[in-house]
Amino acid sequence: MNQREVIDTLSFQAKIEPSFTQLVWQKLEEENREFFEAYHVRLILKNQILVFNRLLEKQVELMQRACPSGVAAVPHPNGSNSSCMSI
């Protein structure tokens, strides 16, 4: 969870004032710089993985439209699978 998600969750579930959570978060960041630097890198990586997975899902969808079931993709020497061939 990023800071916004934590603030929103604590506000909704525990009825903790967002300004208080933000103040505590800032103090924690100040006192634990190394942890939060690694934490922010992990959040960026998590986001990149989510975007990559969405792109893979879109690619599968597009490939299924281009090559309906019962038709296999024929690999090209360059590694792409742009042609369909009945099996």
Side-chain angles (χ1 to χ4, degrees):
M1 292 168 111
N2 62 32
Q3 181 180 3
R4 181 83 256 150
E5 292 169 328
V6 170
I7 290 170
D8 292 344
T9 299
L10 290 175
S11 176
F12 178 75
Q13 292 182 0
K15 307 296 185 236
I16 296 174
E17 195 63 38
S19 59
F20 180 74
T21 303
Q22 190 168 11
L23 177 65
V24 171
W25 187 283
Q26 287 173 331
K27 290 294 181 187
L28 287 170
E29 278 189 333
E30 289 170 11
E31 294 175 15
N32 301 285
R33 287 201 186 280
E34 288 180 26
F35 171 83
F36 278 94
E37 286 172 6
Y39 177 77
H40 291 297
V41 169
R42 286 184 176 95
L43 286 177
I44 292 168
L45 179 60
K46 175 188 168 198
N47 186 52
Q48 289 176 342
I49 290 169
L50 291 172
V51 170
F52 179 76
N53 286 339
R54 278 190 233 121
L55 289 171
L56 282 178
E57 289 170 4
K58 185 68 173 175
Q59 180 183 10
V60 168
E61 179 186 318
L62 291 171
M63 289 177 71
Q64 287 172 343
R65 275 196 232 151
C67 298
S69 57
V71 178
V74 177
H76 286 283
N78 67 4
S80 70
N81 290 329
S82 60
S83 296
C84 298
M85 179 176 149
S86 296
I87 49 175

